[in-house]
Amino acid sequence: MGNDSVPGTEGFLSKALKAAFLGSSDYVFIKDTQLVYRAASDSVAELVGLPSADALTGKTDMDIFPQALAKKYIADDRELLATGVPVCGIIERLPDVDGAEHWTQTWKRPLYDDSGKIIGLYGASRDVTDTIKLEEEAKNFRLYENLIKNIPGGVGLMHIQDGAFYLDYANEGCFRAHHFGLEYGKQFFGSRVIEGVYQPDRQLFFDEYEKVRGKENAQGSVTYRVVDEDGELHWACVRFRPAYENDGIRYYYASFTDLDEQKQAEASLRDSRDALKDAINNSKVQYFTYFPDRHRVEIYALNNHYSQL
């Protein structure tokens, strides 16, 4: 190529920068000291619903953005023009022409003339909406996970596959309900969950599962025993119901409850009832109930000395 066909360095750079500027997928713009757009990438025009970047020239943020948001942008720009301090990577909300919310990471820097005077600013904003949404989802997940982890009761996720129960998830409350230490309880994740159940009670799970299998809103309930790290037996209860299906496998939400206190109370009640029965049977007094309005006497239990009485 001959030298006469090569533009001057300044003209060459100007054309190259303009081409890169207008074709950028980022939101690139130049404003003067009055904060009027002097140039912008086509992506900015598309964002605000204008046919081309040329249609943006001569407008201000008040012309193209909601008033409250435009005032915020203008205040930031005026501070930059007054101080010369660049804006480096701030996260900003940037709605599109349809009102859909976008988030951008924005950089802005002052423009200087040859004498060092600020004559405007230029900036670039990169759409980080997907990243922000992922971060928000991750934050919500962490909050949800923390809630589930620290909830007083035991909760878990289970499924059955190839004739075996699987424990897919369990919070710390699940281990507490079974009197398991955390490390001891972890061994029962996956297909070994049934091994944590006292052997004579294991069939109860399969019997109850058959009752609810294939029923969308059915709830199963099993009361069973487990053996803790010290070999002691404890009572627990699990209630489970369908959660969702994935790859043909039905998953179940499960809640676990420690029944030791209930079982101890039931045993105490039985002991008290038996003691009372023995006391009545061996008493020399016969107890009865009298109903005055009916002039009726009812004896619910005869003691051993009734015939003598």
Side-chain angles (χ1 to χ4, degrees), residues 6-22:
V6 179
T9 301
E10 185 176 343
F12 178 79
L13 289 175
S14 177
K15 290 180 181 296
L17 288 173
K18 185 176 181 180
F21 184 87
L22 295 178

Side-chain angles (χ1 to χ4, degrees), residues 116-182:
K117 178 183 177 181
I118 295 178
I119 57 173
L121 63 88
Y122 67 96
S125 296
R126 177 158 295 172
D127 194 317
V128 292
T129 304
D130 290 342
T131 301
I132 294 296
K133 287 182 177 179
L134 286 174
E135 289 177 352
E136 187 66 24
E137 288 177 4
K139 178 182 177 182
N140 291 337
F141 175 78
R142 287 192 295 270
L143 290 173
Y144 178 75
E145 185 181 39
N146 191 52
L147 171 66
I148 295 298
K149 181 180 179 180
N150 293 288
I151 200 169
V155 294
L157 186 67
M158 302 165 53
H159 77 275
I160 191 168
Q161 185 177 359
D162 299 327
F165 275 98
Y166 286 76
L167 180 63
D168 302 286
Y169 173 80
N171 70 344
E172 292 182 11
C174 176
F175 299 129
R176 289 193 295 269
H178 293 86
H179 296 261
F180 292 167
L182 188 59

Side-chain angles (χ1 to χ4, degrees), residues 11-301:
F12 178 79
L13 289 175
S14 177
K15 290 180 181 296
L17 288 173
K18 185 176 181 180
F21 184 87
L22 295 178
S24 175
S25 59
D26 292 338
Y27 306 122
V28 185
F29 53 87
I30 296 175
K31 300 177 185 178
D32 61 23
T33 53
Q34 301 304 309
L35 303 181
V36 174
Y37 283 92
R38 301 298 295 271
S41 60
D42 289 331
S43 56
V44 177
E46 182 179 353
L47 177 76
V48 298
L50 294 175
S52 67
D54 291 337
L56 189 61
T57 302
K59 297 184 182 297
T60 69
D61 287 327
M62 294 295 289
D63 298 319
I64 60 175
F65 291 117
Q67 188 174 26
L69 202 57
K71 287 181 178 179
K72 191 267 182 189
Y73 294 157
I74 290 171
D76 290 346
D77 291 347
R78 283 176 176 165
E79 183 175 358
L80 183 148
L81 293 175
T83 64
V85 177
V87 172
C88 298
I90 64 170
I91 303 297
E92 296 184 303
R93 188 170 67 88
L94 185 67
D96 64 17
V97 66
D98 297 319
E101 189 170 70
H102 292 257
W103 291 91
T104 61
Q105 189 170 18
T106 301
W107 293 263
K108 296 179 185 178
R109 293 184 178 275
L111 276 171
Y112 297 94
D113 64 12
D114 292 339
S115 66
K117 178 183 177 181
I118 295 178
I119 57 173
L121 63 88
Y122 67 96
S125 296
R126 177 158 295 172
D127 194 317
V128 292
T129 304
D130 290 342
T131 301
I132 294 296
K133 287 182 177 179
L134 286 174
E135 289 177 352
E136 187 66 24
E137 288 177 4
K139 178 182 177 182
N140 291 337
F141 175 78
R142 287 192 295 270
L143 290 173
Y144 178 75
E145 185 181 39
N146 191 52
L147 171 66
I148 295 298
K149 181 180 179 180
N150 293 288
I151 200 169
V155 294
L157 186 67
M158 302 165 53
H159 77 275
I160 191 168
Q161 185 177 359
D162 299 327
F165 275 98
Y166 286 76
L167 180 63
D168 302 286
Y169 173 80
N171 70 344
E172 292 182 11
C174 176
F175 299 129
R176 289 193 295 269
H178 293 86
H179 296 261
F180 292 167
L182 188 59
E183 292 305 316
Y184 179 76
K186 284 181 178 179
Q187 67 178 304
F188 300 119
F189 274 113
S191 62
R192 294 190 60 193
V193 61
I194 202 68
E195 296 177 22
V197 177
Y198 187 44
Q199 202 280 331
D201 295 345
R202 293 176 186 177
Q203 187 59 39
L204 297 173
F205 281 80
F206 297 95
D207 294 342
E208 189 69 8
Y209 172 72
E210 288 300 321
K211 294 179 183 179
V212 303
R213 183 162 61 97
K215 299 177 182 178
E216 189 63 31
N217 296 314
Q219 176 176 286
S221 179
V222 181
T223 297
Y224 58 98
R225 290 164 292 179
V226 295
V227 182
D228 69 12
E229 298 169 71
D230 299 321
E232 298 290 330
L233 278 176
H234 299 277
W235 285 94
C237 175
V238 60
R239 291 181 174 86
F240 57 94
R241 63 184 307 158
Y244 60 90
E245 188 171 320
N246 186 32
D247 293 333
I249 297 174
R250 171 68 70 178
Y251 290 82
Y252 292 83
Y253 294 125
S255 63
F256 301 90
T257 307
D258 179 1
L259 292 187
D260 270 4
E261 289 187 5
Q262 178 181 320
K263 290 296 183 180
Q264 289 169 6
E266 291 174 356
S268 296
L269 180 60
R270 285 194 300 270
D271 291 342
S272 297
R273 185 175 58 198
D274 292 342
L276 179 60
K277 185 177 179 179
D278 288 341
I280 291 175
N281 285 338
N282 295 295
S283 173
K284 292 185 178 181
V285 178
Q286 176 60 56
Y287 295 93
F288 61 88
T289 303
Y290 174 59
F291 300 92
D293 57 331
R294 289 182 286 170
H295 304 289
R296 179 181 178 84
V297 172
E298 292 185 5
I299 298 175
Y300 293 98

